[in-house]
Short mmCIF file of all heavy atoms in Angstrom, two decimals:
data_model
loop_
_atom_site.label_atom_id
_atom_site.label_comp_id
_atom_site.label_asym_id
_atom_site.label_seq_id
_atom_site.Cartn_x
_atom_site.Cartn_y
_atom_site.Cartn_z
N LYS X 119 -111.27 -44.36 25.69
CA LYS X 119 -112.19 -45.40 26.15
C LYS X 119 -111.44 -46.64 26.60
O LYS X 119 -111.69 -47.20 27.67
CB LYS X 119 -113.18 -45.76 25.04
CG LYS X 119 -114.24 -44.72 24.75
CD LYS X 119 -115.19 -45.25 23.70
CE LYS X 119 -116.33 -44.29 23.44
NZ LYS X 119 -117.30 -44.83 22.46
N ASN X 133 -123.32 -53.26 24.74
CA ASN X 133 -123.88 -51.98 24.32
C ASN X 133 -122.84 -50.89 24.59
O ASN X 133 -122.87 -50.24 25.63
CB ASN X 133 -125.17 -51.68 25.09
CG ASN X 133 -125.71 -50.28 24.78
OD1 ASN X 133 -125.50 -49.77 23.69
ND2 ASN X 133 -126.39 -49.69 25.74
N ASP X 134 -121.93 -50.72 23.64
CA ASP X 134 -120.84 -49.76 23.84
C ASP X 134 -121.24 -48.38 23.34
O ASP X 134 -120.60 -47.80 22.46
CB ASP X 134 -119.58 -50.25 23.13
CG ASP X 134 -118.36 -49.43 23.52
OD1 ASP X 134 -118.41 -48.75 24.55
OD2 ASP X 134 -117.37 -49.46 22.77
N SER X 135 -122.33 -47.85 23.87
CA SER X 135 -122.80 -46.53 23.46
C SER X 135 -122.08 -45.45 24.25
O SER X 135 -121.42 -45.73 25.26
CB SER X 135 -124.31 -46.42 23.71
OG SER X 135 -124.57 -46.48 25.11
N GLU X 136 -122.21 -44.20 23.80
CA GLU X 136 -121.59 -43.09 24.50
C GLU X 136 -122.17 -42.95 25.91
O GLU X 136 -121.45 -42.68 26.88
CB GLU X 136 -121.80 -41.77 23.72
CG GLU X 136 -121.21 -41.77 22.32
CD GLU X 136 -119.72 -42.01 22.31
OE1 GLU X 136 -119.05 -41.67 23.30
OE2 GLU X 136 -119.22 -42.55 21.30
N GLU X 137 -123.49 -43.17 26.02
CA GLU X 137 -124.13 -43.05 27.33
C GLU X 137 -123.64 -44.13 28.29
O GLU X 137 -123.39 -43.87 29.47
CB GLU X 137 -125.66 -43.15 27.17
CG GLU X 137 -126.29 -41.99 26.44
CD GLU X 137 -126.13 -42.08 24.93
OE1 GLU X 137 -125.70 -43.15 24.42
OE2 GLU X 137 -126.41 -41.07 24.25
N ALA X 138 -123.49 -45.36 27.74
CA ALA X 138 -123.03 -46.46 28.59
C ALA X 138 -121.61 -46.22 29.06
O ALA X 138 -121.26 -46.47 30.22
CB ALA X 138 -123.11 -47.78 27.80
N PHE X 139 -120.79 -45.68 28.18
CA PHE X 139 -119.40 -45.41 28.54
C PHE X 139 -119.33 -44.32 29.60
O PHE X 139 -118.61 -44.44 30.59
CB PHE X 139 -118.60 -45.00 27.30
CG PHE X 139 -117.20 -44.54 27.62
CD1 PHE X 139 -116.24 -45.43 28.04
CD2 PHE X 139 -116.85 -43.20 27.52
CE1 PHE X 139 -114.95 -45.01 28.36
CE2 PHE X 139 -115.58 -42.77 27.82
CZ PHE X 139 -114.63 -43.68 28.24
N GLU X 140 -120.09 -43.26 29.41
CA GLU X 140 -120.08 -42.16 30.37
C GLU X 140 -120.52 -42.65 31.75
O GLU X 140 -119.94 -42.26 32.77
CB GLU X 140 -121.01 -41.04 29.89
CG GLU X 140 -120.99 -39.81 30.78
CD GLU X 140 -121.83 -38.68 30.21
OE1 GLU X 140 -121.80 -38.48 28.98
OE2 GLU X 140 -122.54 -38.02 30.99
N GLN X 141 -121.52 -43.50 31.78
CA GLN X 141 -121.99 -44.03 33.05
C GLN X 141 -120.93 -44.89 33.71
O GLN X 141 -120.75 -44.85 34.93
CB GLN X 141 -123.26 -44.86 32.84
CG GLN X 141 -123.88 -45.40 34.12
CD GLN X 141 -124.29 -44.29 35.08
OE1 GLN X 141 -124.75 -43.24 34.64
NE2 GLN X 141 -124.10 -44.50 36.37
N GLN X 142 -120.19 -45.66 32.90
CA GLN X 142 -119.12 -46.49 33.44
C GLN X 142 -118.03 -45.64 34.08
O GLN X 142 -117.53 -45.95 35.16
CB GLN X 142 -118.49 -47.33 32.32
CG GLN X 142 -119.29 -48.56 31.93
CD GLN X 142 -118.52 -49.37 30.91
OE1 GLN X 142 -118.02 -48.85 29.92
NE2 GLN X 142 -118.42 -50.66 31.16
N ILE X 143 -117.64 -44.56 33.39
CA ILE X 143 -116.51 -43.74 33.85
C ILE X 143 -116.92 -42.86 35.04
O ILE X 143 -116.24 -42.84 36.07
CB ILE X 143 -115.99 -42.85 32.71
CG1 ILE X 143 -115.51 -43.74 31.55
CG2 ILE X 143 -114.86 -41.97 33.21
CD1 ILE X 143 -114.46 -44.75 31.93
#
Side-chain angles (χ1 to χ4, degrees):
K119 287 184 176 183
N133 174 30
D134 190 18
S135 65
E136 300 301 332
E137 293 79 11
F139 173 70
E140 184 175 320
Q141 183 61 37
Q142 281 185 311
I143 300 304

